[in-house]
Amino acid sequence: MASRLLWASRAASCLRISVSHRGFSTVLKDFKYCDSHEWVKVEGSSATVGITDHAQDHLGDVVYVELPEVGTPVTQGEGFGAVESVKATSDINSPVSGKVVEVNEELNNAPGLINSSPYEKGWIIKVEISDAGQLNSLMDADKYSKFCEEEDAKH
Amino acid sequence: MTIPQSQKIGRPLMKLIRLRGWPILQQLHIEEQLLRTSSENWCIINDGTREPTIVMGVSGKPAELLEIKPVLHDQVPVIKRFTGGGTVIVDGGTIFVTFICNKDAVPDVQPYPRPIMSWSSLIYNEVFQETGNFHLRENDYVFGNRKFGGNAQSITRGRWIHHTSFLWDYEIRNMAYLKLPSRAPEYRSARGHLEFVCRMKDYISRSDFIGRTIRVLGTHFSVEPEELEAIQTVSSTNFSPSSRLLTTQEIESALCEAESRKSLACSASS
């Protein structure tokens, strides 16, 4: 078991994936994270946003995604859409401010992509960022992993 | 019944609104407004609603969930609410109980659907302590294996709402407006509505249920009655609730959609 975990950590390191000590949730090293469990991947002035593996695991099977319209302004820390799972709607909050330039229409037919591929095929919106400085207030992968561990340990 | 002052120390404040026969759409509007614009904890109890109304969850599709022709013919109002979950038909025999909480008011409860559902079931475990083999079963409240309470939630950044429609009594004919849902709990085992649900009135009186709920709540929160008028006078004019009544046109479109699905299914099987 210990050697398998060590192998997994080394493989994860090559793939730029962090696996938490408990191995429950995945985080990706190059992404940024906020305390409401959304991730953002920044490329120039464009950002892709989704919810984390930790969030999808706690939410349960996603059966519906409420997407914003292209052109909608988003504000850091405020809701722009929602997911439905286990009879609950849960707000999705934007980690950055800007304007929605693309939404993942695949989620209309396959909302479960958020569960099966939270960091790739389950992306939710793309945003044209209006204030790159806001990224400094977000957590990196290590800080976010620790944040999730602390949150789970409280309950 | 009043809780001795000494017992109130250390418990978070919860404001209690008691309504009777309040229209369900207005109740949903008040709830959404309080969830989004208030910073207090609330319990809302609405003892029955005036007219039979169908209430679907946020993602509900009328063509899949309703028997559209009788709904249109009998002009049954259809509402899409802001929370998740399934479809119910509510009327004067339905008792609504809603909890709206700051996540910090119940710090042992993670603000996700299952922990919130578990927390609420603990409250009702106490309410139904000596009544009818109550438990939470796959997100429903049941006596034995028969559902009498349906739940739904909405979770925001720092707050959440958990509301329940309790079938204290129901009209058999109203169940005919609802189809068997494709997404159903396993324990339902494809039972029709009448074999799946039960009436709470066979187990407890209305006044006992409401009284016990308030009493149990008082052991977890410091409960203070609030008048609805006090909320309405300070209502946020910037807030627009999302729960809404579907138009006749929308329901008629759903009928066309349902009929075209049926004819596609017939062509596929012939």
Side-chain angles (χ1 to χ4, degrees):
Chain A
M1 179 66 172
S3 59
R4 273 205 342 237
L5 278 174
L6 185 58
W7 179 86
S9 294
R10 283 181 180 161
S13 184
C14 290
L15 294 167
R16 296 183 301 141
I17 299 170
S18 279
V19 179
S20 70
H21 294 301
R22 287 156 71 185
F24 288 157
S25 302
T26 311
V27 294
L28 297 192
K29 279 210 160 113
D30 295 339
F31 289 14
K32 292 279 209 174
Y33 302 85
C34 59
D35 61 5
S36 50
H37 302 286
E38 290 84 10
W39 58 263
V40 59
K41 177 179 154 187
V42 180
E43 289 161 312
S45 63
S46 174
T48 308
V49 174
I51 68 167
T52 66
D53 186 37
H54 178 273
Q56 71 78 20
D57 183 53
H58 282 64
L59 284 170
D61 290 345
V62 175
V63 297
Y64 174 74
V65 184
E66 199 170 77
L67 294 165
E69 298 211 348
V70 171
T72 305
V74 292
T75 305
Q76 188 182 46
E78 292 186 14
F80 66 80
V83 293
E84 183 186 359
S85 65
V86 196
K87 300 198 172 197
T89 58
S90 299
D91 281 1
I92 316 169
N93 302 296
S94 185
V96 292
S97 300
K99 188 173 73 173
V100 176
V101 294
E102 196 178 342
V103 302
N104 187 354
E105 306 269 8
E106 278 297 307
L107 296 176
N108 290 324
N109 300 318
L113 287 172
I114 287 187
N115 297 115
S116 59
S117 183
Y119 297 113
E120 287 184 76
K121 293 179 185 170
W123 68 272
I124 301 174
I125 58 170
K126 292 190 184 190
V127 174
E128 188 182 283
I129 303 174
S130 60
D131 180 0
Q134 287 180 334
L135 298 170
N136 297 329
S137 64
L138 301 176
M139 289 180 268
D140 64 22
D142 289 336
K143 270 199 186 134
Y144 177 66
S145 280
K146 196 161 177 238
F147 173 76
C148 291
E149 283 178 21
E150 285 168 0
E151 207 176 67
D152 282 343
K154 280 185 214 166
H155 300 96
Chain B
M1 177 185 154
T2 55
I3 309 281
Q5 200 64 32
S6 59
Q7 288 183 21
K8 290 186 182 177
I9 297 165
R11 278 173 288 145
L13 177 66
M14 179 171 274
K15 295 192 172 182
L16 170 68
I17 299 176
R18 291 188 66 171
L19 306 169
R20 179 168 243 165
W22 206 253
I24 183 59
L25 184 61
Q26 288 185 40
Q27 177 189 329
L28 290 167
H29 285 174
I30 292 163
E31 288 179 358
E32 198 178 356
Q33 181 191 319
L34 291 175
L35 174 68
R36 296 271 175 201
T37 69
S38 167
S39 56
E40 315 247 37
N41 304 308
W42 298 89
C43 173
I44 298 158
I45 298 177
N46 185 14
D47 189 1
T49 190
R50 245 172 262 155
E51 61 174 325
T53 305
I54 293 168
V55 186
M56 297 191 305
V58 70
S59 61
K61 295 187 172 111
E64 291 175 9
L65 297 165
L66 308 182
E67 297 291 355
I68 306 277
K69 279 185 182 160
V71 168
L72 280 170
H73 180 269
D74 298 343
Q75 296 182 301
V76 184
V78 180
I79 288 170
K80 192 173 267 203
R81 66 178 185 265
F82 68 101
T83 53
T87 307
V88 291
I89 178 152
V90 299
D91 58 20
T94 313
I95 304 175
F96 303 92
V97 181
T98 298
F99 304 121
I100 301 172
C101 290
N102 290 311
K103 67 175 188 181
D104 295 338
V106 274
D108 294 338
V109 179
Q110 275 197 311
Y112 292 106
R114 289 194 198 95
I116 295 169
M117 195 81 73
S118 293
W119 173 84
S120 73
S121 73
L122 294 178
I123 300 282
Y124 290 112
N125 262 334
E126 293 181 58
V127 172
F128 295 112
Q129 221 166 19
E130 284 141 32
T131 309
N133 190 19
F134 165 82
H135 46 275
L136 174 68
R137 192 152 182 192
E138 290 183 64
N139 311 312
D140 294 335
Y141 295 140
V142 299
F143 290 129
N145 73 343
R146 286 200 173 215
K147 176 179 176 176
F148 72 95
N151 298 299
Q153 301 171 353
S154 185
I155 303 167
T156 69
R157 201 185 171 106
R159 287 164 71 71
W160 47 262
I161 180 172
H162 173 96
H163 57 194
T164 309
S165 56
F166 287 99
L167 285 173
W168 188 77
D169 194 5
Y170 61 82
E171 301 269 355
I172 290 174
R173 62 164 185 248
N174 285 346
M175 295 295 165
Y177 293 120
L178 306 181
K179 284 184 177 169
L180 208 64
S182 57
R183 234 169 34 216
E186 273 185 46
Y187 82 97
R188 183 165 184 158
S189 306
R191 285 178 283 165
H193 292 297
L194 300 179
E195 285 68 48
F196 176 53
V197 297
C198 67
R199 293 179 170 89
M200 214 163 88
K201 72 179 201 179
D202 294 337
Y203 297 87
I204 189 170
S205 72
R206 279 176 111 120
S207 55
D208 270 357
F209 168 64
I210 292 172
R212 283 195 213 173
T213 300
I214 295 172
R215 212 155 36 242
V216 168
L217 213 55
T219 65
H220 295 267
F221 296 90
S222 175
V223 178
E224 283 183 12
E226 181 70 87
E227 293 300 319
L228 182 63
E229 288 71 25
I231 301 161
Q232 289 172 323
T233 54
V234 295
S235 68
S236 170
T237 52
N238 288 336
F239 180 73
S240 246
S242 59
S243 300
R244 63 183 187 85
L245 197 59
L246 268 56
T247 62
T248 307
Q249 198 175 7
E250 282 173 303
I251 302 173
E252 283 168 349
S253 301
L255 179 60
C256 296
E257 185 190 330
E259 287 185 336
S260 78
R261 280 188 196 193
K262 221 194 285 189
S263 66
L264 275 171
C266 286
S267 324
S269 63
S270 63

